[in-house]
Amino acid sequence: EVQLLDSGGDLVQSGGSLRLSCAASGFTFSSYAMSWVRQAPGKGLEWVSAISGSAASTHYADSVKGRFTISRDNSKNTLYLQMNSLRAEDTAIYYCAKASSGSYGWFDPWGQGTLVTVSS
Amino acid sequence: AIRVTQSPSSLSASVGDRVTITCRASQGVTNDLGWYQQKPGEAPKLLIYAASSLQSGVPSRFSGSGSATDFTLTISSLQPEDFATYYCLQYYNYPYTFGQGTKLEIK
């Protein structure tokens, strides 16, 4: 069974940093692109960042470009999101999601989410 | 970035009704569009991928259609467990974009 376990969410002050992790199991991790998607309280879904299976390519939403860095350790089957210069508007539940191929595609499944709260 | 406009933003319906939700992309995305269902406190769940392919395990009352810029999600006969929020996602190119969501409520 494919499983994704998000962790690392916390309460942090504006301007601070946080690293999220997503532990994957049940599939060949290095063969699939992965993404982070967030959802602010009471709001819709926002795609944040993606990384290819080989980690050769990364992509970011304009809202986080230059502040967030996505990475992966294929030997540990783990996806990361390093979040720097955090702002109040980054407050959200962050989900990791598995793409349908090594480079792009729809998301399935998703992790359970981890809550990031940025206090101003 | 491709904009995805989803409508309606909310919908009231009864058990047994047929409902349709639409997404329109600001430029062609071929069939690179998926549909998700989200219930409160849960992660989104994939219903439809590649515009019209039903995800394994999803009831056949859910169906998707469309290509290029115009897409629809149809629920043929609403069941109590279908009351949730629905989102479309274009994954044609980065940055990926979601529709604004449709909250389906019980009438």
Side-chain angles (χ1 to χ4, degrees):
Chain A
E1 180 190 5
V2 175
Q3 288 193 324
L4 300 173
L5 186 61
D6 305 315
S7 63
D10 205 347
L11 172 63
V12 61
Q13 287 194 331
S14 180
S17 297
L18 205 57
R19 189 177 83 157
L20 306 184
S21 299
C22 171
S25 61
F27 64 103
T28 304
F29 184 65
S30 60
S31 294
Y32 293 91
M34 299 290 294
S35 272
W36 289 98
V37 177
R38 69 184 180 183
Q39 187 168 36
K43 302 297 184 182
L45 300 169
E46 179 188 16
W47 173 81
V48 172
S49 183
I51 186 168
S52 63
S54 65
S57 60
T58 58
H59 306 273
Y60 298 93
D62 285 346
S63 57
V64 307
K65 200 171 293 183
R67 300 187 299 122
F68 290 10
T69 302
I70 192 171
S71 63
R72 63 192 297 160
D73 185 336
N74 286 342
S75 69
K76 295 182 178 179
N77 289 352
T78 303
L79 174 72
Y80 303 101
L81 186 68
Q82 177 66 44
M83 310 164 67
N84 299 332
S85 302
L86 282 161
R87 307 166 179 166
E89 55 264 36
D90 296 318
T91 294
I93 296 172
Y94 285 73
Y95 298 97
C96 66
K98 170 184 168 291
S100 54
S101 79
S103 58
Y104 92 114
W106 62 86
F107 300 144
D108 182 64
W110 300 50
Q112 84 287 358
T114 187
L115 177 62
V116 173
T117 303
V118 183
S119 65
S120 53
Chain B
I2 298 174
R3 297 182 308 278
V4 177
T5 303
Q6 185 174 339
S7 62
S9 57
S10 64
L11 179 57
S12 293
S14 301
V15 172
D17 283 354
R18 177 185 181 91
V19 301
T20 298
I21 299 168
T22 65
C23 276
R24 173 165 286 176
S26 60
Q27 65 186 75
V29 299
T30 64
N31 68 337
D32 288 342
L33 185 122
W35 290 96
Y36 292 85
Q37 177 193 67
Q38 187 180 34
K39 296 181 179 179
E42 298 182 4
K45 171 189 170 185
L46 177 68
L47 301 175
I48 301 286
Y49 61 93
S52 60
S53 296
L54 188 69
Q55 172 67 352
S56 176
V58 174
S60 59
R61 63 181 179 272
F62 291 92
S63 64
S65 64
S67 66
T69 61
D70 294 297
F71 302 88
T72 60
L73 172 71
T74 299
I75 310 173
S76 60
S77 178
L78 274 174
Q79 298 303 301
E81 60 268 30
D82 299 337
F83 291 94
T85 301
Y86 293 83
Y87 296 93
C88 59
L89 164 70
Q90 73 78 18
Y91 51 88
Y92 178 72
N93 64 13
Y94 292 107
Y96 288 1
T97 41
F98 289 91
Q100 298 87 340
T102 296
K103 186 172 184 180
L104 182 51
E105 299 174 308
I106 300 174
K107 183 183 288 184

